[in-house]
Amino acid sequence: KFASGFLFDLIGTIRGTIILFAFMFAGLVFACLSSLNPVFPFLAAVLFGSGVTLGSVGISLWSIELSTPERLTSTVKNLQIAYVMGGFLFSMVPGPLMDLCHSYVISYEILTAAAAVCALIVVGTYLRYAPRAEARRNAFAGAGAGANASVAPASAKAAASTYAATQTRSGVRSGRTDQNVCTSSGAVKL
């Protein structure tokens, strides 16, 4: 988890997400092929173990970056519930499949397909909403504490303008014209 958090900080959330999904996918492919080479189970464990950290670190970052401040808590909760339910429900699958097929490979194949679908959904959603999320983060950068609290008023006004434009284009902003962006030196009207 520490290494994946560092990776996200170093190269950004979307790039880190893609890399960790690739690790997860590669680990599952090695698990599917584990009977072919004695090194493959080790690679499967290391790569899948690295990629599966998306379930904890990724969910939090995706929620922060793609949600509104008002919906952050419910977004984190809903994504974590989906993650836990998927893990709980799928944990019942490998045993019966082993009894039917006499191998766990079919379970790894199903999990590989599910991981590929999840990667497409997450990365596709992130790419679709990232421009609005970036504008929203820039517009509301001064509302939090830390390094983001020192946004200059001119850049905050530009970010607010970008945010307002993306919200108007997407139809999200209808009727909400009285929002303020807080900065360290005051508020900028949206």
Side-chain angles (χ1 to χ4, degrees), residues 33-46:
L33 303 173
S34 62
S35 64
L36 300 178
N37 188 318
V39 176
F40 286 178
F42 173 76
L43 292 173
V46 170

Side-chain angles (χ1 to χ4, degrees), residues 134-136 138-140 151-166 181 183 188-190:
E134 181 69 25
R136 184 173 51 245
N138 289 339
F140 293 104
V151 174
S155 64
K157 191 165 191 159
S161 171
T162 304
Y163 174 70
T166 59
V181 177
T183 66
V188 177
K189 190 83 162 169
L190 284 180

Side-chain angles (χ1 to χ4, degrees), residues 30 44 61 81 150 158 167 184:
F30 279 120
L61 287 173
I81 287 172
S150 62
Q167 294 300 305
S184 59

